[in-house]
Amino acid sequence: MGCWTAYLIRLEDGSAWELDDKYGPWHLTGADERVRLVERVLAQGRRITEAPVAARACRGIALDLATRRYRFYSCALDMPRAGANHRESMALHQSALPGWEDWDVAHAWGGDEELRRLLHPGPPPGPADVPAVEVYPASRDYWFIDWEPEARRITVRHDELIADSFAGAKSLVSIISADATLTHWQLSNPVAPLLAHHGESLPGTLAAEPPFPLAAEEAVTDGVVIDLPARRLRYWTADTVSPGLVARMAQAWPGWTVERLAWGHLGHLAAVGQHPEGLSMTDAELRERRWDDELIAIRNRARSTLPTEPRALISPSVRVIDRW
C-alpha cells in the first residue's frame, strides 16, 4: 500500500520514458528540478514503445518537452481545504517562475489517465462504467426547521450558515430554473459519480427534497451548477475525475454542455451571481490550512476577476429562529 508517483516524459525527439516511485514528489518548482527529473527518468526509467505500462499511480508528473507542457496531480491526502482553488493557484504560480514562462502548466484533473494521454492521446475515451449511487442529502438534524415553497423561504436555527457546521456535506448542487429561480442542495455524495449515474433525472430527484442554504467554501469539496434553460452543466471537485468518467457524464446529459468549472467554490459563486463576501475563506483561514501567501494572492486575484452570472437570479431567503 502507499502512494505511488508516476513520472512520464516525452523528449524533443518524440521518444517517451516512464518511471514510477513510491512516495515520490508529485510537483516541481524550479526549472532545475525539471532538468533533474528528466535525467533521473532517463537513467532509471523505461523507454515507452507503445502506451505507458507503469503501475497506475495516485499522483504524478508528466513533462512533454516537445510541446512544453507540464501536468501534475496528487492524491486526496495531499489536498488542503479549498483544494480546487489551491491547485489552480499552484499552476499559475509555477508558470510565472524563472524557466517556466513559455510552458503550458496545469493541474491534471484527469489524474493518471490524463498524464498518459498527454504522451499517447489515442482515440477519445469511452464512457467509464459507474456503479449505481443513491442521492444522499446532507444531514438536516439540529439546524433545519422548515421549507416554504411558495414563499421560497428556508427556516433554520441559530445562524444563516448553520448548515455548514452540522450538515456534514461534501457537494453543493445549485439549479437555475427557467423562471430564473436559484435553488441549492447540499449532498453527502461526491459530485462526479452522481452526475454520471443519474444524468438529467437528478434535478427532479432533488426537487422532491427541501433545499438547503448556499454552502460556504469550507463546507464542501465538490459542486455543480445545473442551468436548466441553457442546458449547461458546470461541475468542480478537489478530486481527480478520469476522462472516462467525464465521457460518462456527457453521455448521461445528452444535448447538454458539460464542462469543468474553474476555481472551485469561487467559480461556483460567480456562476450563480453570488458575492463571495462571507462565503469564501479568509486569508487567515487559508494560512491555517497550509496555503502559502503567494498562492493566496493568486487566488484572491482570480476571485476579483471571475465573470459573474449576468441574470438576476432569485435565491431562497433564509429565516433564522433562536438566534445565538
Side-chain angles (χ1 to χ4, degrees):
M1 299 296 291
C3 288
W4 284 87
T5 309
Y7 301 113
L8 303 172
I9 308 292
R10 179 158 58 191
L11 304 179
E12 288 90 341
D13 63 6
S15 64
W17 299 75
E18 66 177 348
L19 176 69
D20 49 88
D21 185 19
K22 195 168 186 177
Y23 301 121
W26 52 267
H27 69 99
L28 304 172
T29 53
D32 55 338
E33 288 189 8
R34 182 179 71 229
V35 172
R36 288 196 294 269
L37 178 61
V38 172
E39 291 174 346
R40 182 182 168 213
V41 173
L42 293 179
Q44 303 175 16
R46 300 171 293 277
R47 183 162 182 166
I48 304 169
T49 56
E50 296 180 0
V53 298
R56 296 295 170 174
C58 58
R59 54 190 189 176
I61 290 173
L63 288 167
D64 187 342
L65 278 65
T67 60
R68 293 187 177 271
R69 288 180 294 172
Y70 164 45
R71 298 292 184 269
F72 64 95
Y73 81 102
S74 68
C75 64
L77 295 177
D78 294 307
M79 190 71 72
R81 269 296 177 183
N85 295 331
H86 186 268
R87 297 304 191 247
E88 304 268 12
S89 300
M90 280 185 68
L92 285 179
H93 180 259
Q94 180 86 36
S95 63
L97 293 175
W100 290 98
E101 299 91 343
D102 58 346
W103 280 73
D104 173 6
V105 179
H107 184 267
W109 291 110
D112 183 84
E113 188 177 344
E114 181 178 336
L115 293 192
R116 295 167 192 281
R117 283 183 168 274
L118 186 71
L119 272 63
H120 288 267
D129 293 330
V130 293
V133 290
E134 298 295 328
V135 177
Y136 293 116
S139 174
R140 292 191 178 89
D141 293 344
Y142 179 74
W143 64 271
F144 179 78
I145 299 297
D146 191 26
W147 160 242
E148 301 168 78
E150 292 187 4
R152 290 191 54 76
R153 183 169 66 180
I154 304 169
T155 302
V156 304
R157 284 191 174 94
H158 303 316
D159 184 84
E160 287 82 355
L161 296 177
I162 188 68
D164 292 349
S165 299
F166 294 95
K170 181 174 180 65
S171 63
L172 169 66
V173 180
S174 298
I175 297 181
I176 302 171
S177 299
D179 58 358
T181 55
L182 174 66
T183 315
H184 313 286
W185 286 267
Q186 297 184 34
L187 306 178
S188 300
N189 301 81
V191 74
L194 188 76
L195 296 170
H197 174 66
H198 287 272
E200 292 181 280
S201 69
L202 181 61
T205 301
L206 293 176
E209 295 278 345
F212 284 68
L214 178 59
E217 184 172 24
E218 190 173 0
V220 291
T221 61
D222 296 29
V224 61
V225 178
I226 302 174
D227 190 333
L228 296 176
R231 295 179 67 81
R232 185 183 187 190
L233 183 151
R234 287 171 285 176
Y235 74 93
W236 61 274
T237 172
D239 295 329
T240 57
V241 180
S242 72
L245 184 53
V246 174
R248 173 63 69 183
M249 275 194 280
Q251 184 184 66
W253 296 77
W256 285 64
T257 299
V258 178
E259 57 194 338
R260 184 179 181 90
L261 182 63
W263 293 101
H265 190 272
L266 294 181
H268 192 127
L269 292 180
V272 297
Q274 298 293 307
H275 195 277
E277 191 66 35
L279 291 169
S280 59
M281 296 173 68
T282 66
D283 292 1
E285 289 171 333
L286 294 174
R287 290 189 189 99
E288 290 176 359
R289 288 155 178 82
R290 300 183 287 122
W291 278 64
D292 297 332
D293 284 346
E294 293 88 350
L295 300 187
I296 293 174
I298 292 170
R299 177 255 197 184
N300 289 345
R301 284 196 296 272
R303 180 174 59 181
S304 64
T305 58
L306 285 171
T308 59
E309 165 60 48
R311 290 169 292 184
L313 301 178
I314 306 167
S315 300
S317 62
V318 179
R319 181 170 70 102
V320 181
I321 66 170
D322 301 331
R323 187 178 289 276
W324 280 330

